[in-house]
Amino acid sequence: MKIVDVICSPGRTGFFFDDQRAIKKGAVADGAAYVGNTATPGFTAVRQAGESISVMLILEDGQMAYGDCAAVQYSGAGGRDPLFLAKDFIPVIEKYIKPELIGAEADHFRPLAEKIDSLHVEGKRLHTAIRYGVTQAILDAAAKSTHRLMCEVIADEYGCTVSDHMIPIFTQSGDSRYENSDKMIMKGAQVMPHALINNVKTKLGEHGELLAEYVGWLRARILKLRPTPDYMPILHIDVYGTIGIAFGNHNYKAMADYLQKLEEIAKPFHLRIEGPMDVEEREGQMQAMKALREELDSRGIDVELVADEWCNTLEDIKYFTDNKAGHMIQIKTPDLGGINNIVEAVLYCKAHGMGAYQGGTCNETDRSAQVCVNCAMATQPDQILAKPGMGVDEGFMIVYNEMQRIMAYRKAMADKAAK
């Protein structure tokens, strides 16, 4: 089945672009906005509307396959590609990608995805968001061309098995970390609440006291509201490097002492801490994560460390995994470019004893979330992010329902074939 046309449309994402450096330097929340000076090139405000591009591939039989180009909330930070604006990048897709796709066979995903993902323009790879969205569309085209689900295409081409059960869903609260936690508990989210602890003074506390208070509240709230006595969610909190700011990026003993206190407060719930420090470069971040992980493990502190910042590409993920820089890695899907890299990253982590968290960003779209669910159902990571948005309900619904559709459809087809 050949691709005969490529059409692009600008879109909105489920959240915003935020200037992370400006927030860390003290930009102040003002309602849904932030007040302060920008600190990352390309930003015109500390918070601005998220943008996406839908890439539609028209097949020769008239079917339309599509994916959404999107970039992370904190674009331009932590070694990531710059701000992704539709007006800047639709012309790039039309000039450089469209000629590569028209006339191409769409019956297989992997070869065409790898071709687009590795394409160089003027000596540089395309923006991660472009590679992300175009390869989503290629996967959908392969599925439609061969009358399979997207997850089935991945499983067939990468030698894995589509899951027959739900992948644990991780929900994120945004700054509404109290009210949104209630939603997560009532809906039975298996991993929660993210919490967005991105400022020492207002969220972590100069000595970590504010986060400790929040973890205690969260524990009590789960015990009070949980739908069944056996509901035992994992507490996964993203601290955006603030523990390192408060206690010292390389003061592993002090950070471990603090994490041990949080572990005790959280019991009986298991605790994961994402991004405990940010040393602003890849090698240093890997070494710091490895050292803190070794400190926790040697002392028997049962807190998992999740790598995020400076662990962006497939190569980064392999590097952090090989060096055991943490217990789990967030595979932040838009940062990897082509979704073929998401598949390989999850499979690599699983094969080498590293926890695989197929994440992403609140700043994605419904379409990118659905395609990511198909990747997860084929590769079976330890958890998948509910996205987009920070409101809990919408992102949880999109991810949960897509998984349920896949399982119900495959069961119905299997039952039909067995008759």
Side-chain angles (χ1 to χ4, degrees):
M1 184 80 69
K2 283 185 169 60
I3 299 168
V4 298
D5 202 2
V6 178
I7 302 168
C8 294
S9 64
R12 291 297 195 195
T13 63
F15 201 64
F16 298 89
F17 291 124
D18 285 350
D19 185 343
Q20 188 184 71
R21 289 190 183 96
I23 293 170
K24 285 185 175 181
K25 289 182 178 181
V28 179
D30 179 14
Y34 277 94
V35 176
N37 296 321
T38 61
T40 301
F43 278 83
T44 55
V46 176
R47 169 168 285 177
Q48 58 192 79
E51 299 187 19
S52 64
I53 300 171
S54 281
V55 178
M56 294 165 273
L57 307 184
I58 309 305
L59 304 179
E60 58 184 327
D61 67 352
Q63 293 188 89
M64 185 268 283
Y66 75 106
D68 281 356
C69 304
V72 297
Q73 173 189 7
Y74 296 115
S75 291
R80 298 186 177 98
D81 276 354
L83 198 64
F84 184 74
L85 302 178
K87 68 178 178 60
D88 295 334
F89 289 100
I90 286 178
V92 174
I93 296 170
E94 292 177 337
K95 182 176 181 179
Y96 296 106
I97 302 292
K98 187 172 182 177
E100 297 288 338
L101 292 177
I102 291 180
E105 291 286 351
D107 292 351
H108 295 88
F109 163 69
R110 191 171 183 175
L112 189 53
E114 290 177 350
K115 177 183 177 181
I116 296 301
D117 187 55
S118 62
L119 191 65
H120 282 66
V121 173
E122 298 178 354
K124 296 181 180 179
R125 296 183 78 178
L126 293 161
H127 195 292
T128 49
I130 292 177
R131 293 184 274 138
Y132 188 47
V134 173
T135 54
Q136 291 170 36
I138 292 170
L139 177 59
D140 190 26
K144 285 184 166 65
S145 296
T146 59
H147 305 287
R148 290 176 291 168
L149 298 178
M150 288 184 281
C151 57
E152 293 172 336
V153 172
I154 291 172
D156 290 344
E157 295 192 21
Y158 288 86
C160 42
T161 304
V162 177
S163 178
D164 61 0
H165 60 271
M166 296 283 287
I167 307 298
I169 300 174
F170 172 33
T171 46
Q172 53 185 346
S173 65
D175 277 324
S176 298
R177 62 189 58 82
Y178 293 94
E179 180 180 355
N180 278 344
S181 290
D182 284 357
K183 297 180 183 180
M184 297 170 189
I185 297 165
M186 290 187 285
K187 294 197 173 187
Q190 292 158 296
V191 189
M192 60 176 289
H194 186 267
L196 196 68
I197 307 299
N198 60 359
N199 183 281
V200 172
K201 184 176 180 180
T202 61
K203 298 176 183 179
L204 183 85
E206 299 291 346
H207 305 286
E209 69 279 1
L210 297 180
L211 177 56
E213 180 183 337
Y214 174 70
V215 171
W217 174 88
L218 188 61
R219 173 193 178 276
R221 198 65 175 167
I222 295 169
L223 293 174
K224 179 179 180 179
L225 295 182
R226 61 182 176 180
T228 59
D230 60 351
Y231 174 60
M232 295 289 292
I234 291 170
L235 308 187
H236 181 141
I237 296 173
D238 192 345
V239 299
Y240 294 89
T242 55
I243 291 177
I245 295 172
F247 295 92
N249 279 336
H250 302 292
N251 192 342
Y252 307 119
K253 183 181 184 302
M255 285 193 284
D257 288 344
Y258 176 63
L259 292 175
Q260 188 171 32
K261 292 178 183 177
L262 292 185
E263 176 196 7
E264 292 300 318
I265 295 169
K267 287 181 177 177
F269 304 107
H270 180 61
L271 182 64
R272 288 183 183 141
I273 296 293
E274 182 173 345
M277 80 293 287
D278 183 355
V279 303
E280 294 287 340
E281 55 96 11
R282 188 182 88 147
E283 180 64 22
Q285 185 73 5
M286 186 281 290
Q287 294 290 352
M289 288 291 292
K290 178 181 180 180
L292 183 55
R293 192 269 306 161
E294 290 174 343
E295 180 74 16
L296 295 181
D297 290 354
S298 68
R299 292 168 56 176
I301 299 172
D302 189 22
V303 174
E304 288 183 276
L305 300 179
V306 183
D308 179 11
E309 307 299 341
W310 301 97
C311 186
N312 302 324
T313 66
L314 176 59
E315 292 74 21
D316 294 339
I317 289 166
K318 290 180 176 179
Y319 186 55
F320 275 61
T321 296
D322 291 344
N323 285 280
K324 295 182 170 55
H327 302 95
M328 173 178 276
I329 288 178
Q330 182 187 175
I331 298 160
K332 186 161 276 189
T333 54
D335 283 338
L336 272 72
I339 62 170
N340 49 298
N341 297 315
I342 300 169
V343 173
E344 293 196 26
V346 173
L347 295 177
Y348 192 88
C349 287
K350 290 175 62 178
H352 293 82
M354 177 65 77
Y357 156 32
Q358 188 188 295
T361 175
C362 53
N363 194 48
E364 294 191 48
T365 70
D366 55 340
R367 183 55 175 175
S368 66
Q370 290 169 343
V371 177
C372 283
V373 167
N374 277 268
C375 293
M377 290 297 281
T379 59
Q380 302 191 39
D382 295 289
Q383 65 186 46
I384 181 174
L385 182 65
K387 57 186 184 182
M390 285 288 198
V392 178
D393 302 306
E394 300 85 354
F396 187 86
M397 171 193 68
I398 290 167
V399 171
Y400 182 94
N401 290 356
E402 184 71 4
M403 276 195 270
Q404 290 286 355
R405 278 190 288 266
I406 290 168
M407 291 190 299
Y409 175 84
R410 282 176 54 80
K411 182 179 184 303
M413 293 301 102
D415 289 347
K416 183 178 179 180
K419 290 181 180 178

